[in-house]
Amino acid sequence: MPQLRYAQPRYLSLLLGSWLLVFFITRSVLLLSHLADADVGALDLLRLYAIGLVYDLSFLLYAALPLALYLLLCPNRLWRSLAHRAALYALTSISLFAMLFTAVAEWLFWDEFGVRFNFIAVDYLVYSEEVINNILESYPIYPLLALLAVLAIGVTVALMRPLASALNAEPQPKPKALLFFGSLALAACTVSLVIGQDFPLGMGGNVYQRELASNGPFQFFAAFRNNELDYQQFYTTLPEHAVGSLLRDEVREANARFIGSDPQDIRRLIDNPGQPKPLNVVLVTIESLSAKYLGSFGDTRGLTPNLDELRQRSLSFSNFYATGTRTDRGLEAITLSIPPTPGRSIVKRIGRESGYGSLGQQFNALGYDSVFIYGGRGYFDNMNAFFGGNGYRIVDQSSVAESDMAFKNAWGMSDEDIYQQTLKVADADHAQGKPFFLQLMTTSNHRPYTYPEGRIDIPSGDGREGAVKYTDYAIGQFLQQAQEKPWFNQTVFVFVADHTAGSAGHEDLPVANYHIPLFIYAPALFEPREFSEVASQIDLAPTLLGLLNVDYSSTFFGRNVLREDRAPGRALIGNYQHLGLFDGTDLAILSPRRGMRRHDDALGRSHESSSSISDSLLRRDIAYYQGASHAFQKRLIAWHPTSLPDEGLSKR
């Protein structure tokens, strides 16, 4: 290229070439570490690296524009000065350090989540205090940073000859510099119109291949920009009346009366038979507890003796599924009973996260004290704003005295400590004669996997196995202490995971990786039994209110799965782009750019095929997610405590 005989383009090309090499090495290392999962043939390998090059160049076009503008407009006198030349050498070292740091960060992120940077990485940047402390407690970060700095300086020294040659070349004339920059800017604009998060257009195939072909920094900034996806714009739709009809069929129960005027409004009056039971409720949401870790679900390591025993004494759900892959998704589904709409969860849609018909609001209307108890600081993931704006009062780490916390790490106090706070709140409410609804969110089963020493036979910080076993230990201790309380026999304990420990797999939505436990325990009130039909986190709230025989005005997309007149089981699962409906056998998936697929025998051979809007499973899938997105946008899920008239309800 004629342009490369000039100093500035030559210097810029050295930096960008170094980035390309690092991206190539990162992609290759990730591929080699997951070669069996990627299942690549020769053509797949060629396609993977070709698409990868497109992604890499797309990111570098964006990233190069500010530096290119400076280099090309830099006055010749400044360009030739020794100080400026030293600054460019330093910039080279800094850039190399950033490249190596990005590569290591990608490796660690992939090791944790099995994907390139995405919404999670964006959240980690926003909630930096917890994340930085977690990293410091999990990895030897300072020696690692020092090593990366030494490597960056060493590579800069190795590049001294080509760098000096570039810097000694003739500076580019300003008209040609402006033309060169204009070409870069035009290319960047073109790329922004063509290349997206889901490039190339095909939505099927092996997920590992697509993630490996992608580029981490590109996906990071794309996720930051696209934190909400408009359902109507990106997904397949049905007419409003069809969505409303399908949704009402999905949530319909005997004696329920729909009262919404919008065709897609599912607000209805629920009449649960029997006399109301004014029982206390303690709902424990457990961090990252996959069903596969429990011995009663097949694990042979003996990590969960207390939970395995609890399952035998509870109303247990053997085919229960999380809606998403993050804590905020689990809390959204349990609290609001709504499918995982595309983009960010409602919990984190700042400014639009409150005022909804939550489970806490339902209990408040019954005279309960609704409390959200969190082991960490509730500003993380916007939890305090969400729960505080939806009927709960907050107890989190910041409201607990240091003397009341025996142990804490980057994410908050240990599970033992959060259970002690729960007992205190329950005791105080009971002393005042007030029923309580306490919704907990634990933190111990999370990297860095640290907990108080001497509790179990696995050292603190030794990995996920120890965190799971400690989580189980703390639950056993909590129930043992609760049994001594005067309110125990009038309390329903619910234990459920927020999501699984990992959702990555060959497919966009690997159903087995959304399988979580749900146990409802009240030995003085309910006989132990197992419910084996497929159910979803969005079913927890209406099922719980059904167990208490509560009549209420519902905006829930879930249903009481224990009613005899229930519809067949199904589970809603998704990530921030792909939206699935699993009926116990097959899985329908909606994707951006109006993609429609299904996986037949989703827990077995999982044969993927394209589908159409005539597919009844796809139509149900569309109805749930189009209806949920519409309900959120139009605030059809808002809390209206006065919308529960006396007529039509047998017990009020």
Side-chain angles (χ1 to χ4, degrees), residues 585-596:
T585 302
D586 303 324
L587 171 70
I589 301 178
L590 302 170
S591 299
R593 304 197 185 188
R594 309 196 187 282
M596 294 180 288

Side-chain angles (χ1 to χ4, degrees), residues 136-373:
L136 292 174
E137 293 175 13
S138 301
Y139 306 103
I141 192 67
Y142 293 120
L144 183 60
L145 292 175
L147 176 61
L148 295 180
V150 170
L151 287 174
I153 293 171
V155 175
T156 303
V157 172
L159 291 173
M160 286 293 286
R161 180 172 295 181
L163 281 171
S165 177
L167 296 177
N168 288 329
E170 176 188 355
Q172 190 168 32
K174 291 299 179 285
K176 291 188 176 182
L178 291 173
L179 179 62
F180 183 56
F181 179 79
S183 300
L184 287 177
L186 179 62
C189 291
T190 303
V191 161
S192 69
L193 297 174
V194 177
I195 310 300
Q197 285 177 283
D198 57 353
F199 175 83
L201 297 181
M203 300 303 297
N206 186 297
V207 173
Y208 281 105
Q209 290 182 22
R210 295 211 312 276
E211 290 292 336
L212 288 165
S214 186
N215 176 283
F218 182 98
Q219 294 291 5
F220 176 87
F221 287 104
F224 192 88
R225 181 184 61 194
N226 299 324
N227 59 11
E228 292 186 28
L229 296 176
D230 185 293
Y231 185 92
Q232 295 281 343
Q233 179 181 354
F234 289 99
Y235 294 86
T236 303
T237 60
L238 289 170
E240 289 186 6
H241 69 274
V243 171
S245 177
L246 285 165
L247 272 181
R248 293 189 177 199
D249 286 342
E250 290 289 326
V251 302
R252 192 183 308 277
E253 299 175 8
N255 300 324
R257 179 157 60 88
F258 291 95
I259 58 176
S261 57
D262 188 298
Q264 299 179 68
D265 192 351
I266 60 169
R267 189 181 297 269
R268 61 208 183 275
L269 305 180
I270 301 294
D271 183 0
N272 281 308
Q275 289 301 308
K277 300 174 182 176
L279 304 173
N280 306 306
V281 177
V282 177
L283 195 169
V284 182
T285 314
I286 307 167
E287 174 69 47
S288 304
L289 188 67
S290 305
K292 66 181 181 181
Y293 289 128
L294 275 65
S296 60
F297 282 101
D299 190 271
T300 59
R301 292 170 291 181
L303 301 177
T304 58
N306 292 298
L307 283 168
D308 294 335
E309 181 183 354
L310 182 64
R311 182 180 180 184
Q312 302 304 315
R313 296 188 283 134
S314 301
L315 168 57
S316 65
F317 294 71
S318 56
N319 282 295
F320 193 75
Y321 292 87
T323 60
T325 62
R326 294 276 286 150
T327 295
D328 56 324
R329 281 300 189 193
L331 295 177
E332 170 192 73
I334 291 168
T335 306
L336 300 181
S337 183
I338 190 170
T341 52
R344 283 179 178 266
S345 74
I346 293 173
V347 175
K348 291 192 293 194
R349 296 188 183 183
I350 298 173
R352 294 191 292 160
E353 73 277 69
S354 59
Y356 302 115
S358 69
L359 188 54
Q361 296 283 28
Q362 297 290 355
F363 278 109
N364 279 345
L366 297 170
Y368 282 62
D369 181 24
S370 295
V371 187
F372 175 64
I373 306 176

